[in-house]
Amino acid sequence: MDALAALLDQPRARGAFLLRSILTPPWSVRIEDRAPLSLVTMVRGHAWIVPDGGEPARIEPGDVALLRGPDRYTLADEPGRPVRVVVHPDQRCTSPQGRDLAEAMRLGIRTWGEEDGDVVMLSGTYQVDSELSRRLLRLLPPVLTRATEAADAPLVELLGRHLGRDEPGQELILDRLLDLLLMSVLRSWLSGAGAPAAGWYHAQHDPVVGPAIRLLHARPSYPWTVVNLASKVGVSRAALSRRFTALLGEGPMTYLTNWRLDLAADLLREDETTVAAVARQVGYGSAFALSTAFKRVRGVSPREHRLGAETSGQSARSSLCGSGW
């Protein structure tokens, strides 16, 4: 699997917040939910995205915006509009004065705002970040806007159509539609002229480091050393270490440790997976060895990490602004 495919394979919505907002200008919504990643697209009308400390960006029908958390931002019909609604970290919506707006703005299943509004906006929020998607989040700018390609327009239509349904399996369908739309935008961006020019994504194209990264990604449980990795790539140990550090700012074994722990952190979210089983999958000889490395690098034990993920997941299933979600 190449680095782009590996990157796109990671975003997996699990009960993501999805919402249709129907609004009438003037309107302004302040987003303070600190979600790791959000996606916004317009069905009708336009919106301005105003990140704190950043330049406003306008999106029209057919545009998709990705917003990297946990930074705060405002969505409005025009920059500078007074804020009318604040979305908080627990997905509680209030007025700027703190009055709860859940029931006041509910229009139906996953629909929120005002009847017969001129603006229709779809938004999806990844509330629980996969540990592997941290690599994606580090690549993204705070706000990324792209025009949807013709082949992807049906995804927006399908997403909007399914938001109002309340049928068995609906959550899974919405999650996968959100994933498909996100991956389409990312692929377009990463394959284009605006792709990031530094870091591990750039290093995948290097004739020495690129093959080494692919080997580490493909076989994280293998007992890699700088010597056997360099042999597989066809260069000397010194050459591999020098080139790896120059492009990535860390040596091959440090990169491997971080990759293994990223994998472990993601696997620990799965039900019924033991620390010992995860350790074997990512190249540690025992649960103790994995726990020691995990604690040293991340500051928490695998058990503490798992409990934190479970707590975040329960919070993420709260109702968003009374939307019926």
Side-chain angles (χ1 to χ4, degrees):
M1 181 181 291
D2 61 47
L4 177 57
L7 188 73
L8 296 181
D9 187 52
Q10 298 315 320
R12 300 286 175 84
R14 298 177 183 177
F17 289 112
L18 289 121
L19 189 68
R20 179 196 290 109
S21 299
I22 303 176
L23 303 162
T24 298
W27 60 273
S28 179
V29 181
R30 173 76 171 164
I31 310 297
E32 298 185 353
D33 63 357
R34 302 185 66 80
L37 183 64
S38 297
L39 180 151
V40 175
T41 185
M42 305 304 298
V43 174
R44 186 169 70 235
H46 73 271
W48 283 88
I49 301 167
V50 186
D52 285 12
E55 291 295 321
R58 178 172 169 133
I59 53 173
E60 306 273 359
D63 294 340
V64 175
L66 301 183
L67 299 123
R68 186 195 68 202
D71 299 338
R72 298 174 173 89
Y73 59 93
T74 300
L75 293 166
D77 68 306
E78 295 294 341
R81 290 285 193 211
V83 171
R84 296 191 172 192
V85 179
V86 181
V87 181
H88 298 276
D90 59 359
Q91 298 306 307
R92 182 175 56 90
C93 289
T94 71
S95 69
Q97 294 75 34
R99 180 170 60 89
D100 189 276
L101 298 175
E103 292 304 321
M105 302 195 71
R106 182 201 299 263
L107 294 178
I109 298 170
R110 307 182 189 91
T111 303
W112 172 89
E114 308 168 30
E115 294 281 0
D116 303 319
D118 299 324
V119 174
V120 178
M121 178 173 64
L122 307 182
S123 55
T125 301
Y126 289 77
Q127 290 292 318
V128 181
D129 60 321
S130 162
E131 294 299 321
L132 294 178
S133 71
R134 288 185 178 186
R135 295 174 181 270
L136 165 62
L137 296 176
R138 286 195 291 265
L139 287 177
L140 285 171
V143 179
L144 171 65
T145 60
R146 303 287 291 186
T148 55
E149 299 179 2
D152 299 320
L155 289 175
V156 176
E157 181 184 351
L158 278 171
L159 190 60
R161 188 188 308 163
H162 280 275
L163 274 173
R165 296 182 182 177
D166 188 18
E167 301 173 1
Q170 197 65 20
E171 179 177 314
L172 181 61
I173 291 172
L174 289 168
D175 283 350
R176 296 295 76 79
L177 286 173
L178 179 64
D179 287 343
L180 286 171
L181 186 55
L182 172 64
M183 287 187 284
S184 173
V185 173
L186 290 173
R187 182 173 62 181
S188 173
W189 175 60
L190 290 168
S191 301
W200 70 267
Y201 182 79
H202 176 66
Q204 70 169 319
H205 303 293
D206 184 81
V208 173
V209 177
I213 289 176
R214 287 190 284 274
L215 285 168
L216 297 178
H217 283 200
R219 303 179 65 188
S221 62
Y222 186 79
W224 292 109
T225 64
V226 178
V227 173
N228 62 25
L229 183 60
S231 177
K232 292 280 188 183
V233 175
V235 297
S236 69
R237 171 182 176 174
L240 177 62
S241 296
R242 183 170 57 249
R243 189 67 178 163
F244 216 100
T245 303
L247 291 179
L248 291 160
E250 59 187 5
M253 295 301 101
T254 301
Y255 181 92
L256 175 61
T257 295
N258 290 329
W259 175 246
R260 284 171 167 170
L261 295 180
D262 282 348
L263 284 168
D266 207 36
L267 290 168
L268 286 165
R269 295 180 184 275
E270 298 179 3
D271 295 336
E272 308 301 328
T273 302
T274 66
V275 176
V278 171
R280 289 192 296 271
Q281 290 184 65
V282 301
Y284 285 89
S286 66
F288 178 78
L290 173 61
S291 297
T292 300
F294 208 96
K295 180 77 173 180
R296 184 184 72 251
V297 174
R298 293 175 174 266
V300 296
S301 69
R303 180 177 179 276
E304 290 168 333
H305 168 79
R306 172 173 272 166
L307 289 174
E310 289 173 354
T311 301
S312 297
Q314 291 166 3
S315 174
R317 287 188 284 273
S318 302
S319 176
L320 176 57
C321 299
S323 66
W325 185 238

